[in-house]
Amino acid sequence: MSEHAQWDSSLSFIFAMIGAAVGLGNIWRFSYVLYSNGGGSFFIPYLIAIAIMGIPFLILEYGVGFSFKESYSKIMSKVNPKFEIIAWILVLFVFIVTIYYMVILSWDLVYLASSFTFSWGTDAAHYFVNNVGGSSNLSNASFLLFPTTIGVLLLWIVLWFISHKNVDKGIGKVSRILIPALFIIMGAIIIYALTLPGAGIGVTTLLAPDWGKLLDVNIWLAAFAQIIFSLSMGQAIAVTYASYLPENSKLIDNVLIVVASNSLFEICTAFGVFSILGYMSYTGGTPMVQLITEGTGLIFIVFPMIFNIMGPIGRIMAPLLFLAILFAGITSALGFFEPMLNSTTEKLGWTRRRTATVLSVIGCIFSLILTTGISSYLVGIIDGFVNEFGILLLIGIQCIIFAWFYGVDKFLPALNEFSTFSVGRIWTFVIKYLLPLVLIVMWVIGIIKLFSTAAEFEIIVDLIIIVGVLVAAFVLYKIKPAND
């Protein structure tokens, strides 16, 4: 029978949590969200979202994991045996995130290799479509994009190698190395970017406030969505990692450190991104509005174009950027993988090594399916559905379960005992009333938007995911626990 693991120190936990939080979204999404939702004025809803959602919900997750010291599925089963199936639905959705996340990381790995020779050439968009990410043309599903396929295989081997070890020797050790390295690399890139000609144009464009947008409800929803996905809230990662904490841990202090680190990273990165875009606008004469984008378009198309005109310094900046993305992605992928790994290990009574091996093989097979000529199209469909429909709904359900069915007050002693700061009635009110309301509103709006614009193929993919998750969750729920 498996034994529940433990971090050797709170420092390992903090680095692992920062690693889980700081990911691709901080690098390629936040700057666009900030710019397109009011610029400098967006910081008001952003900070409010951190205060009333990010910090309170992470405190809840830390309290749950630390108090129970069990896998997520066992925790939900102890609250109510019928709730165990909800736990499996959630960890399966998060496992799906791991599957497509590894494909995105493979794109980055291909670009990291390409950055030494600039093999993407002068047409970065053509290179991405034909060699890395494919397109939305369904006829291209008949062939594999071999660079991406090879990258997926390599990355799953790396993920297995880290995850099959004890959490402190695996995830903890890797996080203690990669997170400081990530911050140093991005810090160097940001500082240099701010010195580039035209950097001021980019920063001014980024921060130009549009105070009128504060009256638009969509701006506030964007702020809350950014916090949810930036901090990996409600995905059982924080609960699982906190369950490995040693006694006498300062839970609330740890929450504040992780939230502050995550926000500082994405805000500073936004300055760096827009400084580089400002440089491109200044030197190339391209209007800023034509350069500003997010996600794969920013990292894999716009940035290679910029590196092409930067001269010798571009030969240094390009590998550093793609290496930083790889570091951020690996630590996040470890976080996404852990809830399923831990819950399955404790449910079946397998060794951690055996579970990691089986899940890695299964995950790798599904990731390989996403390396066809429609790779980026499929990843986009799955990402939107899993987050907007699955995870967002389950965050709200968790909030209600722990606040109302279990009793949020039961976590207060563990949260406050060793922490420098304490929580009480205000935090309880937020968890019981405010957060469920906000999350339900966000989910309804997200679902309407998701399905009103979905094509037939996208709906088919969504239905396959729903059926697959429900069937797998039911099977895992029905399996008799190993210790029974």
Side-chain angles (χ1 to χ4, degrees):
M1 181 181 167
S2 63
E3 294 183 4
H4 201 73
Q6 181 172 301
W7 304 111
D8 285 351
S9 67
S10 291
L11 186 63
S12 296
F13 166 74
I14 290 171
F15 276 125
M17 276 305 307
I18 292 174
V22 172
L24 304 180
N26 302 73
I27 298 173
W28 74 22
R29 184 176 188 270
F30 177 73
S31 58
Y32 181 82
V33 172
L34 175 59
Y35 163 77
S36 60
N37 288 284
S41 58
F42 180 73
F43 283 112
I44 294 176
Y46 175 76
L47 292 173
I48 290 175
I50 289 175
I52 69 174
M53 174 174 281
I55 293 173
F57 196 86
L58 275 187
I59 290 174
L60 173 64
E61 290 194 284
Y62 284 23
V64 171
F66 182 79
S67 298
F68 281 93
K69 294 195 180 301
E70 300 269 15
S71 66
Y72 187 70
S73 60
K74 280 193 174 182
I75 291 172
M76 293 292 270
S77 180
K78 284 190 173 182
V79 175
N80 187 318
K82 294 180 180 179
F83 291 161
E84 185 188 345
I85 194 168
I86 297 175
W88 286 114
I89 292 172
L90 176 64
V91 298
L92 282 163
F93 269 121
V94 178
F95 183 54
I96 291 173
V97 175
T98 318
I99 289 168
Y100 70 74
Y101 207 82
M102 296 298 277
V103 179
I104 299 173
L105 277 186
S106 179
W107 302 341
D108 177 73
L109 189 62
V110 173
Y111 271 80
L112 176 59
S114 301
S115 66
F116 295 101
T117 60
F118 280 27
S119 56
W120 52 67
T122 56
D123 191 341
H126 181 269
Y127 179 81
F128 178 77
V129 169
N130 289 278
N131 297 279
V132 185
S135 67
S136 59
N137 185 346
L138 296 182
S139 63
N140 292 337
S142 59
F143 63 86
L144 294 175
L145 297 162
F146 282 107
T148 302
T149 304
I150 294 169
V152 162
L153 288 169
L154 292 174
L155 287 165
W156 270 106
I157 291 171
V158 170
L159 192 74
W160 170 84
F161 181 76
I162 299 169
S163 294
H164 86 277
K165 299 181 179 181
N166 171 278
V167 290
D168 200 76
K169 289 183 173 61
I171 298 171
K173 184 176 181 179
V174 168
S175 299
R176 290 195 298 270
I177 296 171
L178 294 190
I179 295 306
L182 169 64
F183 277 65
I184 291 170
I185 293 171
M186 285 305 298
I189 291 173
I190 293 163
I191 291 170
Y192 178 77
L194 290 169
T195 68
L196 289 169
I201 297 172
V203 173
T204 301
T205 302
L206 172 68
L207 296 180
D210 184 349
W211 301 108
K213 284 197 172 183
L214 291 177
L215 301 176
D216 184 352
V217 67
N218 290 312
I219 303 307
W220 292 83
L221 292 174
F224 281 94
Q226 176 63 28
I227 296 304
I228 288 172
F229 301 125
S230 176
L231 290 172
S232 299
M233 281 174 48
Q235 298 178 32
I237 299 171
V239 172
T240 303
Y241 278 1
S243 73
Y244 303 147
L245 275 169
E247 298 297 333
N248 308 332
S249 296
K250 297 182 177 182
L251 299 180
I252 298 175
D253 298 46
N254 291 341
V255 169
L256 297 177
I257 291 170
V258 170
V259 172
S261 300
N262 178 76
S263 295
L264 182 65
F265 181 88
E266 65 184 10
I267 291 170
C268 290
T269 299
F271 277 77
V273 167
F274 267 71
S275 293
I276 295 172
L277 294 179
Y279 165 80
M280 179 67 170
S281 178
Y282 178 79
T283 57
T286 308
M288 282 290 294
V289 69
Q290 293 182 22
L291 296 172
I292 298 169
T293 183
E294 64 174 330
T296 55
L298 174 67
I299 298 299
F300 300 131
I301 297 175
V302 174
F303 267 55
M305 289 166 47
I306 297 173
F307 294 140
N308 282 343
I309 67 168
M310 290 185 79
I313 195 66
R315 300 282 175 171
I316 300 172
M317 292 273 284
L320 285 178
L321 176 66
F322 293 118
L323 184 64
I325 293 170
L326 184 66
F327 286 174
I330 286 175
T331 53
S332 293
L334 290 169
F336 293 131
F337 191 53
E338 187 63 22
M340 187 71 190
L341 174 56
N342 184 34
S343 290
T344 307
T345 298
E346 294 200 359
K347 175 80 172 189
L348 301 180
W350 289 357
T351 63
R352 183 177 176 88
R353 182 188 182 95
R354 181 183 181 186
T355 311
T357 302
V358 172
L359 291 179
S360 294
V361 170
I362 293 171
C364 185
I365 290 170
F366 281 104
S367 290
L368 291 173
I369 295 172
L370 302 181
T371 66
T372 66
I374 57 169
S375 178
S376 58
Y377 181 49
L378 269 176
V379 166
I381 295 170
I382 298 169
D383 177 56
F385 179 74
V386 167
N387 285 295
E388 294 286 351
F389 175 81
I391 292 176
L392 193 56
L393 173 63
L394 289 161
I395 294 173
I397 292 173
Q398 289 176 81
C399 210
I400 293 169
I401 287 174
F402 291 117
W404 292 95
F405 287 89
Y406 182 76
V408 71
D409 293 338
K410 295 178 182 177
F411 300 117
L412 291 174
L415 289 169
N416 294 331
E417 185 176 4
F418 299 104
S419 300
T420 306
F421 307 92
S422 61
V423 291
R425 284 182 295 178
I426 295 177
W427 176 74
T428 301
F429 171 81
V430 169
I431 296 297
K432 292 183 72 172
Y433 301 101
L434 189 56
L435 280 192
L437 178 63
V438 172
L439 289 163
I440 289 169
V441 170
M442 288 182 66
W443 183 75
V444 171
I445 292 174
I447 287 302
I448 293 172
K449 183 179 178 181
L450 185 69
F451 286 102
S452 63
T453 58
E456 182 180 351
F457 177 74
E458 295 171 9
I459 293 174
I460 291 172
V461 173
D462 296 343
L463 290 174
I464 291 172
I465 293 172
I466 290 176
V467 172
V469 167
L470 291 179
V471 170
F474 182 77
V475 171
L476 288 164
Y477 169 64
K478 285 296 185 181
I479 290 175
K480 189 177 181 181
N483 59 339
D484 283 5

